[in-house]
Amino acid sequence: MPSNTTAPPAKKKGRRARLIVIVLVLAVLAGAGYGGYWGVSTVRASFPQTSGTIEIEGLSGPVDVKRDAYGIPQIYADSEADLFRAQGFVHAQDRFYEMDVRRHMTAGRLSEMFGRSQVDTDAFLRTLGWRRVAQTEYDSVLSAETKKNLQAYADGVNAYLKGKGNEEISVEYAALAFSHDYAIEPWSPVDSVAWLKAMAWDLRGNMQDEIDRSLMTSRLSGQQIKDLYPAYPYALHQPIVTQGGVDETTGKFDPKAEGGKGDGKGRQGGAQSADERSPHAGSPADAVVGMQSQLAALSDALDEVPALLGPNGNGIGSNSWVVSGRYTTSGKPLLANDPHLAPMLPSLWYQMGLHCRTVSASCRYDVAGYTFSGTPGAIIGHNADIAWGFTNLGADVTDLYLEKISDDGYLVDGRRRKFTVRDETIKIAGGGSRLITVRSTGHGPLISDRSSELERVGEEAPVDNVAPDRGDGYAVSLQWTALQPGTSMDAVFELNRAKDFKQFQAAAAKFEVPSQNLVYADTKGSIGYQAPGKIPVRAKGDGTLPAPGWDSRYKWKSYIPYDELPYEYNPARGYIVTANQAVVNAQYPELLTKDWGYGARSQRINDLIESKIKDGGKISPDDMRTMQTDNRSEIATLLNPLLLKIDVSDPYVREAQKLLEGWDYTQEPDSAAAAYFNAVWRNVLKLSFGNKLPKEMRVEGDCINVRKADSTGPVDEQNKLVRECGQREAGSAQPDGGDRWYEVVRPLLKNENSDWWKTPGNRTNAPTETRDQLLAQAMKDARWELTAKLGKDVSTWSWGRLHQLTLENQTLGKAGPGFLQGMLNRGPWNLGGGEAAVNATGWNAAAGYEVVWVPSMRMVVNVGDWDRSRWINLSGASGHAYNGHYTDQTDKWAEGELLDWAYGEQAVAAATKDTLVLKPKAG
């Protein structure tokens, strides 16, 4: 529900919240009376023309752009080139500033727009080299047809830009003009390809877990770390693919096979303990013990990179499921999808239809769905024959390597190899530049070169005597599948044209990065699933800790063959659910990852489907929508009964405890019980785990008293506690409260005397020794926390007042002058749902209750009866503040509603409110 009376949540203090700082703009716009000039009329100057006729160069015939009441366009053309040229034109009309920021980010050129504050971020991005890889893809890998479509799209963008002043394109450019002269460059096809690298970065897998496990070694034992990364609970939460395996004869995945070869550890033999690793290499686990500052600095560097999709890790995910027609009211499959990504304004997604007026061999597209502004084609959606959706597979496609380096090279198997070296010049708005040198090993770029702290590497890393002499320490390199040229852009167009499961699988085979779960349904009644992606096979190790780069036995030796990757086609159970859980059972012979999502959402969806179809029940499209907005808290089903048994003597705390009596575990915006329970859960995590984690993982500004690292014995005058403050950006701090923490807590609830329940106490609270003592303390702390946030009267509490969403423009909306932020940003909205609920309005328990990721869109596709499908976007079609379509879908999104989705020509005509005709330029 929208809230216009409650104060917005406090701004994040982390580095990502300081993404863009435009000092000169702040200075100029602070002038008295300027706000009066900088008004709505300035914003409206960039509103696009959506009716009438516009002539543009390059078209071979007229193109119709039909927009409905929400400004969602359906484009009709007679050739593929015209179709994609028009798509580029329309994207630029509504979203060019967003596109421009993205391309500067992917190229490491943010400093050219926003000044010196972005130089370090640019240096890290240049080191990764996204734009260079995208250029290689375009030059040498992508098909001629894909390049033709990309060029047509770029021509359409440039046709829109031609002859326009900056302020006619977007109001943000008018603001930039007060700090420096900024010239908008023409769009290039490589700008579109590079955007897929940014998407891959935010969906890269377990790099943060790899760092965190290493950081934990400074404070926790090996068993304690294992406690905090439990095995996937296969007995409780079923994987996506529930049967089948790799056939021993053919070497291919067979969904009908009885199990399959292998032990779930992969060809590389899976996890190894320190004493199993090569004595020549030294122990990676040992090596990282002395690298706490380096790895913490790397984590900070990762936080500096703009995360356009959301905080990497447990929160990045999605829901998607498909139900066979034998269980639906329509008799045809139903497919639902809602990707969970960072909230932003405008939304990441742009709804659109791309239609050849006559589908033929020369004009093959008739597709509608969710697009990325800046990229041609549809990413998620349906055509006339099939529908598809995405969720993040979470494959481990990144590895950090410790490198023994000198000035001119690095060590491998006792021999010195030379770096690959290149220089990069970072230009800075307002004048000046910085030259950086990027060094790479055979694994990848030395990302430790981008941090002064990371330069002070491993001086005290305890490795054994046969490991290479540490000298000045070890550097850190990154190997990542997305740093190699790939064919994902080809896959987008092939998915858009696919007519059956065979063609769908062929397209998925080219979707190399990022690795996604793809669900499928077609008009003939079939449903399916495919796991695609370029996923490494490691010669040794399991990717859970940084590996010794000086030992070639830890290299990537190959990639899992596509034919071995799991899939399903018309499974007997009649439905397929993907929500970031384990893809396949533990007997699968390849190692996809050790860091799955833990399946709380996926199992809830499975249970909801089963409850509907038992005894012959049928699922309707509205049932699918209701499932998408399911707010149930799975951790509450475990913890709440124990909280109610606590004998609370303090009447003030008892008053709050009573809220939990009779609560059905749903997290509606107006629920006082949900507010109190989530506050208790947050405090349980803080007391039992958060205060025991190293400062590098705790949220920035969270300060506690801890024992000195080198101290032993009782705390006394000679052995005092020291004040230690957290250092982690809020979006990635731990414990975040996701479903991994559900599985951490689940077994501990049965062990009332676990050491995790022990706390030292402080000036106001006694130490705790048992589970119930800690739960009682958490209930008390939560009562006082919510009193401060929501007031003394518990009857006025509500989850939505705590759990708020504010949509922010990602640049000036975060760091521009106050009145400009007010013009560009919207909210807050009071939301239901929560962390690891199906309605995944995520919040990080280490930092607070603010919504940090959301279902960024929702769709329910009625396969074969396409015009009865429904969809919604987080914001709206327009990126222009004060345009009627800036946030015109958000209220309905917050209420869980969906819009009608017109697809057929007659339905589109009936829904059309504005028609723009693009015509070839005369002469």
Side-chain angles (χ1 to χ4, degrees):
M1 58 183 293
S3 170
N4 296 312
T5 57
T6 309
K11 300 292 184 186
K12 294 179 183 177
K13 296 181 180 179
R15 294 167 180 81
R16 193 172 290 125
R18 300 193 295 266
L19 171 59
I20 304 300
V21 180
I22 308 173
V23 178
L24 292 178
V25 173
L26 292 173
V28 173
L29 297 188
Y34 189 81
Y37 167 74
W38 197 264
V40 174
S41 61
T42 308
V43 179
R44 287 178 173 163
S46 60
F47 286 7
Q49 178 182 339
T50 58
S51 61
T53 301
I54 297 177
E55 292 185 348
I56 65 173
E57 293 180 353
L59 289 177
S60 62
V63 178
D64 294 328
V65 182
K66 300 182 178 183
R67 294 179 182 258
D68 67 10
Y70 289 87
I72 299 169
Q74 304 283 339
I75 300 176
Y76 291 85
D78 291 319
S79 74
E80 293 178 3
D82 284 356
L83 193 63
F84 293 118
R85 185 174 283 105
Q87 184 182 19
F89 186 93
V90 172
H91 272 164
Q93 279 188 305
D94 283 332
R95 299 284 191 91
F96 183 76
Y97 177 76
E98 173 193 10
M99 294 162 58
D100 200 15
V101 171
R102 284 180 182 173
R103 69 166 164 176
H104 278 77
M105 188 270 284
T106 58
R109 296 175 58 199
L110 288 169
S111 300
E112 295 178 26
M113 293 186 79
F114 304 114
R116 196 168 299 277
S117 67
Q118 298 304 299
V119 169
D120 288 343
T121 298
D122 282 345
F124 192 85
L125 291 165
R126 295 285 184 97
T127 299
L128 294 178
W130 293 348
R131 172 73 188 207
R132 292 172 57 86
V133 178
Q135 185 71 58
T136 302
E137 283 185 7
Y138 184 79
D139 292 341
S140 307
V141 177
L142 297 178
S143 71
E145 180 179 315
T146 293
K147 294 200 295 189
K148 179 182 176 181
N149 294 341
L150 287 165
Q151 186 61 61
Y153 180 90
D155 291 343
V157 175
N158 294 328
Y160 178 73
L161 297 177
K162 188 174 182 180
K164 288 184 172 61
N166 288 12
E167 69 282 352
E168 297 177 85
I169 296 172
S170 188
V171 67
E172 291 91 339
Y173 292 117
L176 289 178
F178 284 89
S179 64
H180 62 282
D181 292 330
Y182 175 72
I184 296 174
E185 298 176 357
W187 192 262
S188 98
V190 181
D191 293 332
S192 296
V193 179
W195 167 234
L196 292 183
K197 299 301 176 187
M199 184 174 75
W201 175 256
D202 284 346
L203 301 175
R204 64 191 178 272
N206 77 334
M207 186 191 296
Q208 192 66 60
D209 288 326
E210 191 173 335
I211 293 170
D212 286 355
R213 273 187 288 260
S214 302
L215 291 171
M216 287 179 184
T217 60
S218 69
R219 182 154 294 176
L220 302 177
S221 69
Q223 181 57 50
Q224 287 174 316
I225 296 172
K226 185 177 180 180
D227 289 347
L228 301 187
Y229 286 90
Y232 185 84
Y234 285 101
L236 296 173
H237 300 157
Q238 67 188 50
I240 297 171
V241 176
T242 59
Q243 63 183 34
V246 176
D247 185 273
E248 296 185 15
T249 302
T250 66
K252 298 180 180 181
F253 189 87
D254 181 356
K256 297 180 181 179
E258 294 289 336
K261 66 180 181 180
D263 56 7
K265 295 182 178 180
R267 294 179 181 177
Q268 56 275 67
Q272 296 170 320
S273 62
D275 59 355
E276 291 174 317
R277 295 184 173 105
S278 165
H280 170 74
S283 165
D286 287 342
V288 298
V289 169
M291 296 185 63
Q292 307 309 316
S293 64
Q294 304 91 287
L295 292 166
L298 173 56
S299 182
D300 288 347
L302 299 180
D303 281 338
E304 292 282 2
V305 179
L308 293 184
L309 301 188
N312 180 264
N314 195 47
I316 286 286
S318 306
N319 300 323
S320 191
W321 66 95
V322 61
V323 181
S324 168
R326 77 173 185 265
Y327 292 131
T328 68
T329 55
S330 66
K332 293 290 182 69
L334 294 173
L335 187 151
N337 197 189
D338 55 284
H340 307 154
L341 305 172
M344 61 187 70
L345 189 58
S347 166
L348 179 78
W349 300 107
Y350 186 98
Q351 296 147 290
M352 179 178 275
L354 299 167
H355 308 278
C356 292
R357 290 194 181 94
T358 301
V359 178
S360 65
S362 61
C363 194
R364 296 164 292 173
Y365 292 89
D366 188 14
V367 62
Y370 292 86
T371 71
F372 288 144
S373 52
T375 301
I379 305 299
I380 293 172
H382 73 82
N383 59 31
D385 300 291
I386 75 166
W388 69 93
F390 283 6
T391 66
N392 193 28
L393 191 149
D396 184 358
V397 295
T398 61
D399 273 342
L400 299 174
Y401 284 88
L402 309 182
E403 305 281 8
K404 174 56 184 174
I405 68 169
S406 59
D407 289 341
D408 62 347
Y410 59 101
L411 197 68
V412 179
D413 295 338
R415 295 184 178 182
R416 182 67 51 190
R417 297 185 182 180
K418 289 187 176 182
F419 295 117
T420 301
V421 178
R422 71 177 190 271
D423 291 331
E424 297 270 358
T425 300
I426 299 170
K427 298 178 181 179
I428 303 170
S433 63
R434 178 186 292 182
L435 178 68
I436 66 168
T437 298
V438 178
R439 302 185 295 175
S440 296
T441 72
H443 300 117
L446 285 181
I447 53 179
S448 53
D449 281 352
R450 300 283 75 87
S451 166
S452 58
E453 288 187 55
L454 279 168
E455 291 174 0
R456 303 193 298 272
V457 291
E459 294 182 1
E460 298 181 2
V463 294
D464 60 33
N465 293 332
V466 294
D469 179 74
R470 58 178 159 261
D472 293 330
Y474 304 124
V476 181
S477 66
L478 169 66
Q479 187 163 12
W480 176 35
T481 55
L483 298 184
Q484 302 168 21
T487 56
S488 293
M489 198 72 242
D490 287 337
V492 171
F493 295 110
E494 291 195 23
L495 277 174
N496 284 201
R497 302 192 306 266
K499 294 181 177 298
D500 55 32
F501 192 64
K502 184 177 181 179
Q503 292 182 12
F504 170 79
Q505 286 186 300
K510 296 183 178 180
F511 205 96
E512 296 178 334
V513 177
S515 187
Q516 298 287 286
N517 296 308
L518 272 62
V519 295
Y520 165 95
D522 64 36
T523 54
K524 295 179 180 179
S526 291
I527 63 173
Y529 162 82
Q530 178 67 58
K534 182 182 283 188
I535 303 171
V537 175
R538 296 165 178 83
K540 193 177 181 68
D542 65 1
T544 59
L545 286 170
W550 54 81
D551 185 344
S552 64
R553 286 174 293 182
Y554 286 84
K555 68 181 180 180
W556 291 3
K557 62 179 184 180
S558 62
Y559 298 96
I560 299 174
Y562 180 69
D563 286 344
E564 286 191 23
L565 292 174
Y567 75 94
E568 285 192 316
Y569 186 58
N570 292 326
R573 67 183 177 280
Y575 60 89
I576 302 169
V577 175
T578 81
N580 318 114
Q581 77 271 41
V583 168
V584 71
N585 61 35
Q587 282 67 52
Y588 182 69
E590 303 293 1
L591 178 63
L592 300 179
T593 185
K594 290 284 187 178
D595 293 302
W596 301 114
Y598 280 77
R601 282 182 287 110
S602 62
Q603 193 58 47
R604 175 62 175 167
I605 297 168
N606 276 298
D607 292 345
L608 289 170
I609 293 172
E610 285 290 339
S611 70
K612 290 295 295 185
I613 65 177
K614 68 178 181 181
D615 301 324
K618 301 289 186 179
I619 295 175
S620 70
D622 198 53
D623 291 330
M624 300 283 277
R625 180 196 65 80
T626 301
M627 292 177 193
Q628 286 181 322
T629 56
D630 182 79
N631 286 331
R632 180 182 172 93
S633 169
E634 294 304 306
I635 188 60
T637 65
L638 297 175
L639 190 56
N640 198 65
L642 295 176
L643 297 177
L644 290 174
K645 293 179 181 179
I646 301 294
D647 185 9
V648 176
S649 58
D650 185 335
Y652 205 57
V653 180
R654 172 61 183 146
E655 185 180 31
Q657 184 188 35
K658 288 180 179 179
L659 294 173
L660 303 178
E661 296 175 357
W663 180 43
D664 62 358
Y665 311 137
T666 60
Q667 301 171 95
E668 297 297 327
D670 61 356
S671 171
Y676 182 57
F677 174 81
N678 282 315
V680 174
W681 171 237
R682 166 172 147 81
N683 280 279
V684 167
L685 291 170
K686 181 177 180 179
L687 289 168
S688 53
F689 308 108
N691 291 348
K692 298 166 187 174
L693 295 176
K695 62 182 181 297
E696 295 88 356
M697 295 178 63
R698 298 201 318 272
V699 70
E700 186 176 9
D702 175 28
C703 300
I704 58 174
N705 293 321
V706 300
R707 184 191 297 272
K708 291 181 181 179
D710 58 353
S711 64
T712 58
V715 176
D716 54 28
E717 287 301 315
Q718 286 74 38
N719 186 17
K720 293 181 179 179
L721 298 177
V722 295
R723 193 72 168 162
E724 185 182 85
C725 295
Q727 299 176 351
R728 182 69 63 84
E729 189 273 337
S732 55
Q734 292 294 336
D736 63 16
D739 63 358
R740 171 164 70 89
W741 294 98
Y742 295 7
E743 294 309 313
V744 170
V745 170
R746 186 190 302 275
L748 295 179
L749 293 177
K750 299 177 182 178
N751 182 0
E752 298 184 29
N753 297 304
S754 167
D755 286 345
W756 288 111
W757 304 125
K758 301 181 189 303
T759 65
N762 53 39
R763 290 178 299 175
T764 57
N765 296 326
T768 64
E769 294 290 333
T770 67
R771 179 197 68 191
D772 287 354
Q773 288 175 354
L774 186 139
L775 295 183
Q777 185 61 55
M779 293 172 71
K780 176 183 175 183
D781 291 349
R783 176 39 156 140
W784 285 106
E785 180 186 4
L786 294 199
T787 297
K789 292 179 181 294
L790 302 178
K792 294 181 180 180
D793 186 354
V794 299
S795 68
T796 67
W797 290 1
S798 71
W799 175 225
R801 288 177 61 202
L802 278 178
H803 190 54
Q804 293 189 321
L805 168 68
T806 299
L807 293 179
E808 293 180 322
N809 174 288
Q810 294 296 288
T811 55
L812 292 174
K814 287 183 174 290
F819 73 85
L820 190 55
Q821 291 187 34
M823 292 173 64
L824 297 176
N825 299 341
R826 297 293 182 270
W829 283 265
N830 295 346
L831 298 186
E835 176 64 42
V838 179
N839 184 19
T841 55
W843 54 285
N844 187 310
Y849 306 97
E850 176 187 358
V851 176
V852 294
W853 57 77
V854 294
S856 56
M857 63 79 157
R858 298 186 184 101
M859 72 177 191
V860 175
V861 182
N862 202 320
V863 177
D865 195 355
W866 304 116
D867 293 327
R868 293 182 60 197
S869 300
R870 310 199 77 203
W871 60 354
I872 198 77
N873 202 354
L874 174 62
S875 61
S878 179
H880 301 286
Y882 292 103
N883 185 283
H885 305 306
Y886 192 48
T887 56
D888 58 341
Q889 298 185 51
T890 310
D891 285 351
K892 290 183 179 295
W893 172 92
E895 295 291 341
E897 298 179 22
L898 301 174
L899 305 177
D900 291 336
W901 180 353
Y903 171 75
E905 190 171 359
Q906 291 184 344
V908 169
T912 297
K913 300 299 181 184
D914 290 305
T915 300
L916 174 67
V917 179
L918 304 178
K919 289 188 174 181
K921 194 164 186 176

